[in-house]
Amino acid sequence: MTIQWFPGHMAKARRQVTERLKQIDVVIELLDARLPLSSRNPMIDEIVSGKPRLILLNKADLADEKATSLWINYFKEQGLRTLPIDALSGKGVGKLPELCHELAADMLNKRTERGMQARAVRIMILGIPNVGKSSLINRLAKRSVAQTGDRPAVTKAQQWVKMGDTLDLLDTPGILWPKFEDPMVGLRLAASGAIKDELIDFGEVALFVIEYMMKYYPEQLIERFKLKELPEDKLTMLEEVGRKRGCLVSGGHIDYDKAGEIFLRELRSGKLGTITIERPVDWLEQTNETESC
């Protein structure tokens, strides 16, 4: 599945981010804990090069805790501080101001040495659509200052949010790249809800996730859909989902699209349990496969 989606406001957002970066002390990169690299804009490293950066793994409550630990170690090896959070409940968010001040310490010390007046640390939040930026801002500000929604691209413009006297926070629209060169990235993003549902094939995306869960989370499939044992293949598993959820058409056949949609709704809401749909090893395997071609 190849998805191309780069609305005009996203191209404008990239230009605005680049222009405003010189005003920023610390960049917060917000990722989906269930698919950290797939939810990471590959342009980010190029855009924010040289700025102190903090990686936030949002929706950690929906992710596999063991897999999250693997990702924290992955980013640590790259010299990046990482913090798992849940913006909706606020878990982990309280540590954010302290970490931002630690990352901005050099800048703050230089201002003091030059006799300059103290000011708030200026932070920019970057991330792809539907990863939870607005929810995080509202949680940090302790009031509703950013529009939220369960559909991608809710935020359409930049805005400064003052958080007391110590932090000034710049929100930006979600930025996606023009083309997902790796089809696996597109499938993971579609599964998480980062891509508008109107653009995806529910059945195809559900089959991708089912295959991954059959490898890493078989017991959760068996328990959720009340199966005696795991089916032999992913298509049979999707058919079981369809039967259990009443997705039948004339002749008793399965409505694969409807079954896939229901499966993805349950995945996104956490009803299938805590699921991470990519691990660092997956990227290593993909790299090796590409090099061998």
Side-chain angles (χ1 to χ4, degrees):
M1 180 176 67
T2 300
I3 301 171
Q4 296 189 52
W5 183 48
F6 199 64
H9 73 268
M10 290 186 181
K12 180 180 178 182
R14 179 182 177 180
R15 292 194 299 271
Q16 290 177 335
V17 166
T18 303
E19 292 168 0
R20 301 293 288 274
L21 195 60
K22 58 187 177 183
Q23 304 174 33
I24 300 301
D25 304 315
V26 176
V27 173
I28 295 176
E29 187 179 354
L30 193 61
L31 308 179
D32 189 322
R34 300 166 297 175
L35 54 153
L37 284 194
S38 289
S39 62
R40 193 181 198 201
N41 187 328
M43 296 186 295
I44 290 291
D45 286 335
E46 173 189 344
I47 294 172
V48 305
S49 177
K51 290 287 182 179
R53 197 179 344 168
L54 175 64
I55 302 289
L56 297 186
L57 298 178
N58 193 28
K59 305 183 183 182
D61 59 312
L62 297 174
D64 180 342
E65 189 173 343
K66 292 182 179 178
T68 297
S69 295
L70 294 176
W71 283 112
I72 291 173
N73 290 334
Y74 171 87
F75 288 115
K76 183 178 180 180
E77 290 174 358
Q78 298 184 29
L80 294 170
R81 297 284 293 273
T82 309
L83 177 67
I85 66 166
D86 174 24
L88 286 178
S89 70
K91 185 176 181 180
V93 176
K95 300 177 182 178
L96 184 57
E98 179 182 351
L99 289 175
C100 287
H101 278 82
E102 287 181 14
L103 290 169
D106 287 345
M107 179 277 297
L108 295 172
N109 291 336
K110 288 178 181 178
R111 288 183 64 87
T112 300
E113 292 171 359
R114 295 171 183 171
M116 301 173 70
Q117 185 176 1
R119 65 162 173 78
V121 175
R122 295 171 180 169
I123 301 166
M124 175 183 284
I125 293 185
L126 293 176
I128 69 170
N130 207 36
V131 79
K133 296 186 302 300
S134 297
S135 296
L136 173 60
I137 289 171
N138 290 339
R139 172 65 59 177
L140 288 168
K142 299 180 180 179
R143 64 188 189 279
S144 182
V145 295
Q147 182 184 2
T148 61
D150 61 359
R151 290 170 59 82
V154 170
T155 302
K156 296 290 180 65
Q158 294 183 345
Q159 62 174 333
W160 281 100
V161 180
K162 195 165 184 62
M163 302 169 55
D165 297 324
T166 61
L167 290 178
D168 286 342
L169 205 145
L170 180 64
D171 183 24
T172 61
I175 305 173
L176 273 177
W177 49 104
K179 181 179 180 180
F180 307 129
E181 299 291 349
D182 184 346
M184 296 296 102
V185 170
L187 288 164
R188 293 179 190 122
L189 288 169
S192 73
I195 298 170
K196 292 179 180 179
D197 282 342
E198 294 89 336
L199 300 175
I200 73 174
D201 181 321
F202 289 118
E204 182 181 1
V205 178
L207 285 171
F208 166 76
V209 178
I210 286 172
E211 184 175 32
Y212 201 84
M213 288 189 67
M214 289 178 75
K215 178 179 180 180
Y216 288 102
Y217 307 102
E219 293 303 320
Q220 289 172 228
L221 285 173
I222 292 172
E223 180 180 352
R224 178 61 186 171
F225 297 103
K226 297 180 172 55
L227 306 174
K228 292 183 179 180
E229 60 183 6
L230 197 67
E232 293 184 0
D233 60 79
K234 59 186 177 181
L235 183 59
T236 305
M237 182 65 228
L238 182 58
E239 291 173 348
E240 286 289 348
V241 173
R243 277 188 283 270
K244 296 290 185 179
R245 297 295 182 262
C247 304
L248 302 176
V249 293
S250 60
H253 298 293
I254 302 297
D255 183 337
Y256 292 100
D257 189 65
K258 188 63 177 178
E261 181 179 4
I262 289 175
F263 180 85
L264 293 178
R265 300 284 182 225
E266 295 193 15
L267 170 75
R268 295 169 186 174
S269 65
K271 292 179 180 178
L272 299 182
T274 52
I275 307 292
T276 295
I277 55 178
E278 72 174 357
R279 288 161 171 72
V281 67
D282 297 329
W283 285 82
L284 178 61
E285 291 173 354
Q286 288 173 221
T287 300
N288 291 338
E289 289 175 1
T290 301
E291 292 176 349
S292 64
C293 293

